[in-house]
Amino acid sequence: MNRLSSYPNPKLQGWRLPKDVQSPSIYYCFWRRLLQMWLTTICKVRVFNRHYEPVGGGVVYICNHQSFLDPILMAYALQRPVNFMARESLFRWPPFRRLIESVHTFPVRRGTADVAALKESMRRLKANGQLAMFAEGTRTSDGRLGPFLPGAAVLCQRAAQWTVPVLIDGAFEAWPRTQMLPRPGNIVVQYAPPISQAEAKKLEPKAFVEKVRSTLIEIQADVRKRVGRPALKYV
């Protein structure tokens, strides 16, 4: 592969983050490290352009959705903690609910306009938190990026200071939705330059998410070429 940047934002390096930046809890760091170790025993994971992680402010990461590994991969190398939305059914068993809530996950009712989840997302972003969104709404069936839900633009345009597109490739080959368990694979995570809230507001919601999707499709084509995977065709 051609060499790309693979270092954190210099302002976020070190044991302590800047005073006004939310730091990950010890519990969050423990689970992140444990999952990193588990994942790297199965797959080769490379992360590029992580210096695009904003130093402060609310951030939405819009990411494609290839597998169950994606939440781990999305936050794999970020310095600041990341919040996640997960389907409501995952919160029904109390021990598992306490576990995922401890790593900044909150419930969302899929297939509905969940006002409570939207308000919670805005609350966390306005508190200068980071939020991961899988804008396709479901995992891919063939590795390609599906249509993005325009509702993802609401948080980017109203509550987040920054939007960062994130491309994951190789996770589909490692753990497709038709397979029970992951297998060895070669996974790349690549971040794109942040988009400011002012820039996001210049576009209609549908046009904004299409712009992000187009950016990720371009990155995916480049990544697959670099690692020697066949190109994916989009209509």
Side-chain angles (χ1 to χ4, degrees):
M1 292 177 66
N2 296 331
R3 293 186 63 84
L4 290 176
S5 300
S6 187
Y7 60 88
N9 188 321
K11 295 182 180 179
L12 295 173
Q13 287 182 301
W15 289 101
R16 292 181 178 232
L17 298 182
K19 185 180 295 186
D20 57 345
V21 176
Q22 180 187 11
S23 296
S25 66
I26 294 177
Y27 200 71
Y28 181 96
C29 290
F30 167 78
W31 280 106
R32 180 170 61 184
R33 178 62 65 185
L34 186 66
L35 291 169
Q36 285 174 338
M37 292 171 61
W38 168 75
L39 185 55
T40 51
T41 63
I42 303 172
C43 299
K44 180 179 181 180
V45 180
R46 286 171 288 182
V47 183
F48 298 103
N49 292 343
R50 55 195 175 115
H51 63 281
Y52 285 138
E53 179 181 10
V55 174
V59 185
V60 171
Y61 292 89
I62 296 185
C63 186
N64 62 314
H65 203 358
Q66 291 207 329
S67 77
F68 282 132
L69 299 173
D70 296 342
I72 305 172
L73 292 164
M74 218 305 302
Y76 189 87
L78 297 179
Q79 303 297 100
R80 297 168 59 189
V82 179
N83 297 274
F84 298 93
M85 288 185 279
R87 66 177 186 269
E88 190 179 36
S89 60
L90 294 177
F91 291 78
R92 292 173 185 167
W93 189 44
F96 190 67
R97 182 184 70 238
R98 287 193 291 271
L99 170 61
I100 58 179
E101 285 179 342
S102 70
V103 289
H104 311 305
T105 303
F106 59 96
V108 60
R109 294 193 301 273
R110 295 173 63 178
T112 66
D114 192 338
V115 177
L118 179 63
K119 288 182 177 179
E120 180 62 18
S121 300
M122 288 189 169
R123 184 188 71 79
R124 297 190 185 205
L125 288 169
K126 290 181 178 179
N128 296 327
Q130 302 200 114
L131 175 70
M133 292 194 71
F134 300 101
E136 294 159 279
T138 188
R139 286 168 292 154
T140 179
S141 60
D142 57 10
R144 293 182 298 176
L145 279 73
F148 279 9
L149 302 173
V154 174
L155 295 174
C156 302
Q157 295 175 324
R158 296 185 185 180
Q161 293 184 33
W162 301 99
T163 299
V164 179
V166 188
L167 188 281
I168 295 174
D169 195 74
F172 171 74
E173 286 80 1
W175 200 356
R177 61 189 305 167
T178 55
Q179 189 171 293
M180 288 289 292
L181 295 171
R183 60 192 173 205
N186 181 2
I187 299 174
V188 172
V189 182
Q190 186 166 319
Y191 299 92
I195 303 168
S196 69
Q197 185 182 60
E199 287 296 315
K201 285 182 175 180
K202 292 179 181 179
L203 297 173
E204 293 296 321
K206 185 176 180 180
F208 175 73
V209 295
E210 279 302 314
K211 175 184 177 180
V212 173
R213 181 174 179 266
S214 296
T215 297
L216 294 182
I217 289 174
E218 290 177 8
I219 295 174
Q220 185 184 52
D222 182 62
V223 166
R224 294 182 73 86
K225 182 179 179 180
R226 297 200 318 265
V227 301
R229 291 196 189 104
L232 296 174
K233 295 183 179 180
Y234 288 86
V235 178

